[in-house]
Amino acid sequence: MITSSGRQSIPTPFLIKSWPKPITDESISSKIIDLPTCHEEIRSQVESSGDILIRVVTWNQQAKEPPHPEYLAKLLFPHRYHLVVVGSQECENSFAKSIVMPSKPKWTSCLKEALGDEYEVLRSHSLQASHIIVFAHKAIAHLISDLRSIAVATGLGDRLGNKGGISISFKVADSSFCFVNAHLAAHQHAAIRRTNEFRRISNHIVAGLLHQKRSSEVSESTSSDEECTTGCFQDEDEGEDVLPQYSSDDLRTDSGPQLNPLIDVFDKVFWFGDLNFRVYGTREVVDGMLESHMHDALLCNDQLTMLMRFNRVFCGFSEGPLNFFPTYKFDRDSDHYDSSQRRRVPSWTDRILYKKDASTQVLSYCSQPEIKSSDHRPVYATFRSRIQIDNAFVGEAATSWKKRIEREIKSEACCIS
């Protein structure tokens, strides 16, 4: 149906739909028991129960100045967690500036101030304008080992770092973790390219980490807090054997591998970022669906939701309820979707996926609508995950950590020229 104004309207029978309630921090505040103030008590709880709280945040900053650390802490880190992982895209500088200035000192400093002295930076890693940083509460830092990171470019010719993914992996006690922050290809028509980038990044992270172990290129720590220019994986031959290749324009269920390689290699996997998957539809139709709160219809037309059901590249991954409004594209400092001439279709571009695991529970998953400095809204998720702990390992780890804490934890960046 077309209205007198020329806008396509939504049939009346569908207007009865209501928007589901998102899982916000506020809605779960009674379910999260904040960490004790005593480090020894935190350590004892983790070592006895194996449960840890993980906070993951992704945000495309559009190279804009972030909010004040105190405001950031209130909106993005309202509780205290054992691990905090923040992935950002278009961070601090534009892509052009990031070619010559890949490190993110201002953003890192802002996050440190927001989280406070109870947290240690385990590692940060930059791929030009993208960045990932992992913080650990000092009470559990002694349980962390085997820190590694790697960047995979998927920009022009799979060499340019304007698009790509960055991974930081490590062990917490006897459980292995992998966190991947990515910025995938843009535009509504590029779903196939994004899927292939997801595959390539996953593939090359596994191959690159195997390469690092063989060549012993990564050390445990360094005395410098500056980001260095190592850790990039570009060897095509190393990546081809990990994940079988298939037609670049084939998204059918019966094509490709049985499982994403990251699922096999790590106990816990978190894959997030500006994944850039869009909602199919014209701007007029999608606007109408949003105004009518047609959540189910929008979700059925979300590219990533469909791919996670039918494409094996995403096999083994899950996502919390997508009950928040689309996070892209907003006019700056407003709640209005893109009013420019291009009028991009509102979409859930910013996502947090995780490995399906009976011992990992999603506690919260939502956007933060109060942070409006970018054309994207930040997205956060809180997880409770159970780790495997060997009592013998705990004693050895505590001794080892006392030596490591005397030096600065390694921060690593990847610069691709």
Side-chain angles (χ1 to χ4, degrees), residues 146 148-150 169 202-218 233 238-243 261-262 265-266:
D146 199 23
R148 298 179 183 274
S149 61
I150 191 169
S169 64
S202 299
N203 189 20
H204 282 70
I205 285 171
V206 173
L209 291 175
L210 292 174
H211 179 72
Q212 285 184 358
K213 288 181 180 180
R214 288 196 297 266
S215 59
S216 300
E217 290 178 348
V218 179
F233 183 74
E238 289 286 347
E240 296 305 314
D241 294 332
V242 179
L243 189 61
L262 290 171
V265 173
F266 295 97

Side-chain angles (χ1 to χ4, degrees), residues 209-328:
L209 291 175
L210 292 174
H211 179 72
Q212 285 184 358
K213 288 181 180 180
R214 288 196 297 266
S215 59
S216 300
E217 290 178 348
V218 179
S219 61
E220 287 292 326
S221 61
T222 182
S223 59
S224 173
D225 191 43
E226 297 180 358
E227 296 184 349
C228 62
T229 55
T230 61
C232 305
F233 183 74
Q234 299 179 347
D235 189 344
E236 294 290 338
D237 294 334
E238 289 286 347
E240 296 305 314
D241 294 332
V242 179
L243 189 61
Q245 302 299 303
Y246 58 95
S247 173
S248 62
D249 60 356
D250 189 354
L251 299 179
R252 296 175 302 170
T253 306
D254 61 351
S255 66
Q258 292 291 334
L259 203 65
N260 188 296
L262 290 171
I263 299 297
D264 282 335
V265 173
F266 295 97
D267 299 317
K268 318 285 183 180
V269 182
F270 300 86
W271 227 108
F272 51 93
D274 179 1
L275 306 188
N276 251 323
F277 287 100
R278 308 301 173 95
V279 172
Y280 284 120
T282 65
R283 176 61 185 270
E284 289 74 18
V285 168
V286 172
D287 277 351
M289 289 181 176
L290 286 169
E291 290 173 7
S292 302
H293 284 189
M294 296 176 63
H295 178 266
D296 289 347
L298 287 164
L299 205 58
C300 286
N301 284 280
D302 172 65
Q303 293 174 344
L304 183 54
T305 299
M306 289 188 282
L307 287 165
M308 289 181 69
R309 292 174 181 169
F310 302 119
N311 191 283
R312 291 177 179 174
V313 171
F314 300 93
C315 185
F317 285 99
S318 187
E319 184 178 19
L322 204 61
N323 292 350
F324 48 92
F325 283 93
T327 55
Y328 174 86

Side-chain angles (χ1 to χ4, degrees), residues 105-396:
K106 291 182 180 179
W107 178 233
T108 299
S109 177
C110 180
L111 289 172
K112 284 181 178 180
E113 188 175 343
L115 290 169
D117 295 335
E118 289 186 305
Y119 289 87
E120 292 282 350
V121 177
L122 292 183
R123 181 165 293 187
S124 65
H125 198 136
S126 296
L127 175 66
Q128 291 174 3
S130 294
H131 180 260
I132 185 173
I133 187 167
V134 178
F135 293 86
H137 196 285
K138 289 180 178 179
I140 69 155
H142 67 291
L143 296 175
I144 294 169
S145 62
D146 199 23
L147 272 164
R148 298 179 183 274
S149 61
I150 191 169
V152 180
T154 60
L156 185 64
D158 288 334
R159 286 292 186 270
L160 203 60
N162 62 317
K163 295 293 188 288
I166 321 165
S167 162
I168 295 180
S169 64
F170 51 90
K171 294 185 73 174
V172 182
D174 295 315
S175 296
S176 57
F177 285 74
C178 182
F179 295 88
V180 183
N181 172 45
H183 193 182
L184 304 185
H187 306 304
Q188 190 181 60
H189 64 268
I192 292 173
R193 177 169 177 80
R194 284 188 283 275
T195 302
N196 288 327
E197 288 177 344
F198 191 96
R199 173 181 53 81
R200 172 182 162 80
I201 291 167
S202 299
N203 189 20
H204 282 70
I205 285 171
V206 173
L209 291 175
L210 292 174
H211 179 72
Q212 285 184 358
K213 288 181 180 180
R214 288 196 297 266
S215 59
S216 300
E217 290 178 348
V218 179
S219 61
E220 287 292 326
S221 61
T222 182
S223 59
S224 173
D225 191 43
E226 297 180 358
E227 296 184 349
C228 62
T229 55
T230 61
C232 305
F233 183 74
Q234 299 179 347
D235 189 344
E236 294 290 338
D237 294 334
E238 289 286 347
E240 296 305 314
D241 294 332
V242 179
L243 189 61
Q245 302 299 303
Y246 58 95
S247 173
S248 62
D249 60 356
D250 189 354
L251 299 179
R252 296 175 302 170
T253 306
D254 61 351
S255 66
Q258 292 291 334
L259 203 65
N260 188 296
L262 290 171
I263 299 297
D264 282 335
V265 173
F266 295 97
D267 299 317
K268 318 285 183 180
V269 182
F270 300 86
W271 227 108
F272 51 93
D274 179 1
L275 306 188
N276 251 323
F277 287 100
R278 308 301 173 95
V279 172
Y280 284 120
T282 65
R283 176 61 185 270
E284 289 74 18
V285 168
V286 172
D287 277 351
M289 289 181 176
L290 286 169
E291 290 173 7
S292 302
H293 284 189
M294 296 176 63
H295 178 266
D296 289 347
L298 287 164
L299 205 58
C300 286
N301 284 280
D302 172 65
Q303 293 174 344
L304 183 54
T305 299
M306 289 188 282
L307 287 165
M308 289 181 69
R309 292 174 181 169
F310 302 119
N311 191 283
R312 291 177 179 174
V313 171
F314 300 93
C315 185
F317 285 99
S318 187
E319 184 178 19
L322 204 61
N323 292 350
F324 48 92
F325 283 93
T327 55
Y328 174 86
K329 171 180 170 69
F330 287 92
D331 292 338
R332 190 181 177 190
D333 296 323
S334 83
D335 292 319
H336 300 291
Y337 288 109
D338 186 18
S339 63
S340 70
Q341 287 186 341
R342 298 183 68 176
R343 301 184 74 245
R344 279 89 159 184
V345 175
S347 297
W348 288 287
T349 56
D350 310 278
R351 311 287 278 270
I352 300 173
L353 312 182
Y354 67 99
K355 177 181 175 178
K356 294 178 187 176
D357 178 5
S359 63
T360 299
Q361 177 188 5
V362 180
L363 300 179
S364 69
Y365 187 39
C366 196
S367 63
Q368 180 44 266
E370 294 187 45
I371 298 180
K372 305 176 183 180
S373 55
S374 165
D375 57 355
H376 290 252
R377 295 290 185 259
V379 171
Y380 62 80
T382 308
F383 300 89
R384 180 182 287 116
S385 191
R386 180 157 296 180
I387 59 174
Q388 297 296 318
I389 299 182
D390 186 323
N391 290 332
F393 169 82
V394 172
E396 295 176 3

Side-chain angles (χ1 to χ4, degrees), residues 23-32 55 79 363-364 382:
I23 311 177
T24 64
D25 284 326
E26 292 76 18
S27 67
I28 63 159
S29 58
S30 62
K31 300 179 182 179
I32 292 185
R55 180 70 158 192
H79 298 281
L363 300 179
S364 69
T382 308

